[in-house]
Amino acid sequence: MPQKPPDGAPPPDDGALPAAALAELAHRALGAYVHVPYCAARCGYCDFNTYTAADLGGALISSVGLTTFVDMATREIRLAREVLGAAAGPIATVFVGGGTPTLLPAGDLARLLRALDAEFGLAPGAEVTTEANPESVDPAQLEQLRAAGYTRISFGMQSDRPHVLAALDRRHTPGRVSEVMRWARKAGFDHVSLDLIYGAPGESEADWAASLHAAVQLGPDHVSAYALTVEEGTKLSRRVRRGELLEPDDDLLADRYLLADDILGAAGLVNYEVSNWSRGADARCRHNLGYWRGDNWWGFGPGAHSHVGGVRWWNVRHPAEYAARLGADRSPALAREELDDESRRVERVMLGVRLAEGLPVGELAEAGLAACAELARSGLVEPGGLEFGRVRLTRRGRLLTDTVVRALLPD
């Protein structure tokens, strides 16, 4: 099951935010994240807040499942408008994730977007993304989503090798990704992204190279590539603990990352964040850039996290409790924390240094500034970036991001 949420202070039942947090809405973009916590089956490596039919008593179509999810999320959207006030909006980016959002009918995903537009308005040129598993969509559904206003779709490809997909408990076959990519382009999506995972049990270097080549041949304008992590409480962690599978080796993962950067770069996909590559600035995921740059967003749905003006909160995780709270006209927030100025600075350093655009050196305290010269001598940050007032990771630095962050934020 998914890991437990962090600790925090109890939020007010009406979800009200401090005036100082609301005042920041005028200065930073507002995004909306919608968490659809349903999956047809749980992948062995996944510790996200997701639920299968078995978890919900035998059917996703139930009083706590798909039939009420959009109604409850719409209630939370109305609550967000009440809390944020008339000054909030329009929404610059929408990201519908999960789980498997495309288990919802296209009409329901359209209804979510209409609710956000009705309460906040969507900014001109708003980026509207949904995630999708390749086996969960068909041509008609994709056409309906595009017509409803979705501009971007991200498919969970993970690998092109059947035995690697099996090790990850993925349900689609490699050929299915080619089909859904073709359907998405025909439907008129502005941007199509692929997610890949490297370091799976049984994956060779040749397997990973084949997956990368297969991905770029499909013509995405965005690729995310993540190292497999063994999360406590997952099926994968239990198999590793029993000795059935080997945990990924750090040196192997580094080699896989460099191979990804080589192949994706040769195909014209440029790294703009440690784990993300795009074909030009327009293809970058603007919603995720908002996270890395410290913008405001409201997360709707069970277990979703939000951030407005230095206040961060997270919703109750189970769909039944989420529905019950909203049904009783209460905020679904479970807990929250208010970040002080130093905590916010630390987060800006931790996230901002991951971006190719670099971190402004003005975010660093004296000890962090002093560390920059040594980081440059060690080949972890670009000397030229420092001359222009930004800390920019080298390719080697991307492999050692945590080391760089520790140097920039010494105890």
Side-chain angles (χ1 to χ4, degrees), residues 226-246:
Y226 302 105
L228 179 67
T229 55
V230 180
E231 302 289 356
E232 193 60 39
T234 62
K235 177 182 174 183
L236 177 62
S237 73
R238 292 190 292 272
R239 297 189 68 191
V240 168
R241 192 167 55 247
R242 291 194 298 262
E244 298 173 11
L245 299 173
L246 293 177

Side-chain angles (χ1 to χ4, degrees), residues 43-128:
C43 299
Y45 60 90
C46 179
D47 77 332
F48 293 169
N49 186 47
T50 61
Y51 301 86
T52 65
D55 298 325
L56 298 175
L60 288 177
I61 308 296
S62 69
S63 61
V64 297
L66 300 179
T67 53
T68 59
F69 173 79
V70 175
D71 292 335
M72 293 300 104
T74 299
R75 286 197 183 198
E76 191 182 0
I77 291 168
R78 290 197 293 266
L79 170 69
R81 165 50 77 198
E82 292 171 6
V83 169
L84 298 181
I91 290 175
T93 63
V94 179
F95 197 105
V96 185
T100 308
T102 42
L103 284 179
L104 290 174
D108 279 350
L109 290 171
R111 191 151 62 97
L112 282 171
L113 196 56
R114 287 198 301 270
L116 288 166
D117 193 21
E119 294 296 338
F120 292 94
L122 298 177
E127 175 192 86
V128 183

